[in-house]
């Protein structure tokens, strides 16, 4: 007997996002979190454009927008020239300032609303795959117990018990330098919050919105402090004073933390019935605020695929596609964070390089490219092997205004149920008949583009995956054999 279909180990934002996806598909999901309560401190402070898009695709972005503050720019290595998110092709061209604790609170509420089971104070101590199931050893309030699930996902952070139990290698580099942060009150608020890097180091100043400020400090004189060494208010004051010329009258610290540049990427994101997501799969220096966001996007990619496997219709390769699609994203993540670390060199040559890079970011095409990478708006997946190629396949579906049989809607609104959507722009009865055999998994909608002069004008039909990426597209003269092949590949047998 299975205790549940899927156990998610780790109840942070990534684990909760995955629980939302599974529960939406009516999969029995249990989240096991060793902490007894949510953390009130927030390492991450922002949600990037692609993360807001995936929340929008599930109809819950408004909950986050009500609590956060949109900011049209981001940063790369604290360079003077900011990344311009406002030019990105998205309905959400901004980063949303929203502390991680609030995002976690909203995701937990949504997961419970959908019926996910969330148990706090339950630590997983061992995971073992068995034939047709996964066994877990769990330390709970009433002692040790054994559980069984059809699948297990490790969302349990950098020291993941799941990853170590199942024997997935985690190659990379150890910490060679550290930085630190402090959330404090100030008596002299900064006139212009932001970042500054000079010969004495770098400081990013972020107003927290409740009277407090976060100071993120990269101090060459303290960069070799051991990560385990506690940060003190005196250390924070001293470094900020030396770098910026004032300590702003810092007082009443709320949270002080030191972090390092250890960088690792799991060798595999899947081992049989066990998967990894978020920090369990990739760790890096927190440059550009990407870690939480990439983890949420991991969960979005995995959730519907895992649900399909539980429901019994997933084609054999679908679960493997999680590693195939997300591992390259993790590799790109660790590479760009390592590049940002190199750009934090405050020697004279290093500052010259920073000035050059900042000038290059003033070129719109360069800025757009890095903004697309950091925001994940540019993430695209490779087309299925042997499939008829189309330029749009693997990319995000553009969130265009449509007229459908259900009325006016944005394309992303059609994904709220977490199902495939086949958009028929040519009112093709043969196409509708050909897809009928997959109607339990695919919503087929006749649609027209509300504004004709758009990039959808040359498209006859579009198969959009539950995560908003395009599985199949057709220009003029839709080939029904290609459609049937794509439906079989992505949606399983008819």
């Amino acid at each position: 007997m299975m205790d549940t279909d899927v156990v998610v180990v780790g109840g942070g934002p990534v684990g909760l996002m995955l629980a939302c996806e599974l529960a939406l598909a009516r999969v029995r999901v249990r989240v096991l979190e060793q902490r007894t309560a949510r953390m009130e401190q927030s390492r991450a402070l922002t949600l990037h454009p692609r993360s807001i898009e995936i929340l929008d695709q599930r109809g819950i972005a408004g909950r986050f927008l009500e609590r956060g503050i949109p900011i049209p720019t981001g940063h790369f290595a604290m360079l003077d020239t900011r990344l311009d998110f406002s030019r990105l092709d998205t309905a959400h061209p901004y980063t949303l300032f929203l502390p991680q604790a609030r995002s976690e609170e909203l995701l937990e509420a949504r997961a419970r609303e959908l019926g996910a089971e969330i148990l706090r104070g339950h630590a997983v101590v061992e995971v073992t795959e068995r034939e047709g199931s996964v066994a877990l050893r769990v330390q709970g309030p009433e002692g040790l117990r054994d559980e069984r699930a059809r699948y297990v996902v490790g969302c349990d952070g950098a020291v993941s018990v799941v990853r170590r139990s199942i024997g997935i290698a985690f190659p990379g580099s150890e910490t060679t330098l550290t930085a630190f942060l402090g959330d404090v009150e100030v008596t002299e608020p900064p006139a212009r919050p932001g970042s500054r890097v000079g010969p004495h180091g770098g400081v990013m100043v972020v107003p927290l919105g409740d009277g407090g400020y976060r100071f993120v400090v990269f101090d060459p004189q303290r960069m070799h402090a051991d990560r385990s060494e506690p940060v003190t208010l005196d250390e924070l004051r001293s470094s900020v004073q030396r770098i910026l010329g004032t300590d702003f009258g810092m007082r009443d610290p709320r949270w002080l933390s030191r972090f390092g540049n250890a960088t690792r990427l799991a060798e595999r994101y899947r081992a049989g019935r066990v998967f990894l997501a978020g920090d369990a799969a990739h760790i890096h220096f927190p440059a550009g605020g990407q870690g939480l966001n990439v983890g949420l996007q991991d969960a979005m990619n995995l959730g519907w695929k895992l649900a399909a496997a539980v429901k019994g219709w997933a084609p054999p390769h679908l679960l493997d596609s999680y590693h195939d699609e997300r591992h390259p994203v993790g590799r790109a993540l660790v590479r760009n964070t390592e590049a940002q670390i190199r750009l934090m060199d405050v020697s004279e040559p290093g500052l010259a390089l920073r000035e050059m890079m900042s000038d290059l970011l003033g070129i719109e095409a360069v800025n757009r490219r890095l903004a697309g990478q950091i925001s994940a708006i540019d993430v695209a997946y490779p087309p299925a092997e042997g499939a008829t190629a189309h330029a749009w396949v693997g990319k995000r579906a553009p969130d265009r205004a449509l007229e459908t049989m259900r009325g006016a809607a944005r394309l992303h609104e059609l994904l709220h149920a977490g199902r495939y959507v086949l958009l028929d722009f040519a009112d093709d009865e043969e196409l509708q008949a050909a897809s009928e055999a997959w109607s339990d998994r695919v919503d087929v909608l006749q649609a027209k583009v509300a504004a004709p002069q758009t990039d959808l004008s040359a498209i006859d039909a579009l198969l959009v995956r539950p995560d908003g990426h395009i599985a199949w597209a057709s220009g003029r003269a839709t080939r029904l054999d290609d459609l049937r092949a794509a439906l079989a590949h992505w949606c399983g047998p008819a």
Side-chain angles (χ1 to χ4, degrees):
M1 294 290 294
M2 300 289 177
D3 294 286
T4 192
D5 291 321
V6 180
V7 167
V8 176
V9 182
V14 176
L16 292 169
M17 181 72 194
L18 181 59
C20 289
E21 281 297 285
L22 293 167
L24 179 66
R26 290 180 165 75
V27 168
R28 294 182 304 155
V29 55
R30 175 177 296 167
V31 178
L32 300 178
E33 167 56 50
Q34 64 179 347
R35 293 191 179 93
T36 57
R38 287 193 304 270
M39 285 187 64
E40 280 306 308
Q41 296 86 7
S42 298
R43 185 170 295 277
L45 293 176
T46 58
L47 293 175
H48 286 175
R50 182 55 182 157
S51 296
I52 305 167
E53 277 192 349
I54 65 176
L55 297 170
D56 194 2
Q57 289 168 190
R58 294 300 180 260
I60 59 173
R63 306 180 187 194
F64 293 78
L65 295 173
E66 288 172 1
R67 303 280 293 273
I69 301 171
I71 301 171
T73 61
H75 80 90
F76 190 85
M78 294 168 60
L79 292 171
D80 290 341
T81 304
R82 303 274 292 177
L83 298 178
D84 185 2
F85 290 157
S86 71
R87 294 179 179 271
L88 297 175
D89 181 15
T90 173
H92 304 284
Y94 47 80
T95 185
L96 186 70
F97 180 83
L98 183 66
Q100 180 176 328
R102 304 289 77 78
S103 293
E104 186 175 318
E105 176 188 346
L106 292 168
L107 287 168
E108 180 172 346
R110 176 58 171 167
R112 292 187 185 279
E113 180 183 303
L114 292 169
E117 183 182 14
I118 300 172
L119 301 179
R120 295 191 176 275
H122 294 255
V124 173
V125 296
E126 188 178 14
V127 175
T128 308
E129 185 177 5
R130 295 178 179 170
E131 186 176 353
S133 68
V134 185
L136 302 97
R137 192 79 164 150
V138 183
Q139 178 69 56
E142 299 177 358
L144 281 171
R145 70 177 188 277
D146 294 316
E147 290 193 15
R148 286 182 68 198
R150 296 178 67 178
Y151 297 95
V152 167
V153 184
C155 301
D156 50 341
V159 293
S160 171
V161 170
V162 175
R163 188 188 63 242
R164 288 181 289 155
S165 289
I166 215 69
I168 296 178
F170 202 37
S173 58
E174 299 286 352
T175 295
T176 58
L177 58 86
T178 58
F180 56 96
L181 64 81
D183 292 349
V184 297
E185 306 285 337
V186 298
T187 57
E188 302 169 13
R192 293 180 60 193
S195 58
R196 176 181 167 185
V197 177
H200 300 297
V203 176
M204 179 179 292
V205 185
V206 183
L208 297 175
D210 57 1
Y213 286 81
R214 170 166 294 183
F215 292 82
V216 183
V217 181
F218 188 87
D219 183 349
Q221 294 189 17
R222 300 294 300 153
M223 64 185 287
H224 295 298
D226 192 273
R227 189 175 180 275
S228 62
E229 180 184 336
V231 180
T232 66
L233 181 59
D234 284 343
E235 179 184 9
L236 182 66
R237 283 172 172 159
S238 175
S239 291
V240 173
Q241 174 74 46
R242 183 169 58 256
I243 297 168
L244 297 183
T246 176
D247 67 5
F248 303 99
M250 293 179 188
R251 55 182 171 78
D252 301 327
R254 306 174 184 178
W255 187 40
L256 300 167
S257 178
R258 198 180 310 275
F259 51 92
N261 67 328
T263 301
R264 296 184 179 277
L265 179 65
E267 189 173 78
R268 293 171 291 154
Y269 281 18
R270 179 192 184 189
R273 291 179 172 268
V274 180
F275 301 81
L276 303 175
D279 288 353
H282 40 74
I283 62 169
H284 52 89
F285 192 75
Q290 299 169 87
L292 167 67
N293 290 279
V294 174
L296 293 176
Q297 294 149 29
D298 289 343
M300 184 68 159
N301 184 286
L302 176 60
W304 61 275
K305 297 174 179 177
L306 205 50
V310 171
K311 296 293 185 181
W313 59 259
H317 55 82
L318 190 64
L319 289 180
D320 283 335
S321 74
Y322 171 62
H323 169 89
D324 295 341
E325 292 180 347
R326 295 304 297 175
H327 193 265
V329 174
R331 186 183 302 113
L333 167 68
V334 300
R335 286 178 65 86
N336 89 55
T337 53
E338 287 179 324
Q340 291 186 69
I341 293 170
R342 297 298 182 269
L343 283 168
M344 292 303 297
D345 179 4
V346 295
S347 67
E348 189 171 339
L351 291 173
L353 177 60
R354 287 182 58 83
E355 184 178 356
M356 178 184 294
M357 279 298 299
S358 195
D359 285 346
L360 288 173
L361 282 182
I363 301 172
E364 183 176 341
V366 176
N367 196 298
R368 168 65 181 79
R369 179 161 182 170
L370 277 182
Q373 290 178 3
I374 297 298
S375 67
I377 290 296
D378 283 355
V379 169
Y381 302 133
E385 187 175 347
T388 301
H390 189 286
W392 280 31
V393 171
K395 296 181 179 179
R396 300 161 38 257
D399 190 22
R400 304 294 185 248
L402 305 175
E403 293 290 342
T404 76
M405 64 183 76
R406 300 175 183 173
R410 290 183 295 107
L411 194 155
H412 286 184
E413 290 176 328
L414 304 177
L415 298 169
H416 286 183
R419 290 163 54 87
Y420 285 93
V421 173
L422 177 59
L423 293 171
D424 173 14
F425 294 112
D427 193 12
D428 187 336
E429 293 182 2
E430 290 185 340
L431 176 144
Q432 295 165 36
S435 58
E436 179 63 29
W438 286 271
S439 61
D440 60 328
R441 285 152 268 174
V442 182
D443 292 331
V444 182
L445 294 174
Q446 296 175 43
K448 294 189 182 301
V449 181
Q453 301 304 315
T454 74
D455 42 11
L456 288 180
S457 298
I459 300 294
D460 270 359
L462 208 59
L463 178 63
V464 184
R465 303 181 345 176
D467 60 2
H469 283 262
I470 297 170
W472 174 84
S474 174
R476 299 305 177 210
T478 297
R479 295 176 59 186
L480 297 181
D481 288 345
D482 287 345
L483 172 60
R484 292 189 187 96
L487 287 167
H489 177 87
W490 287 107
C491 308

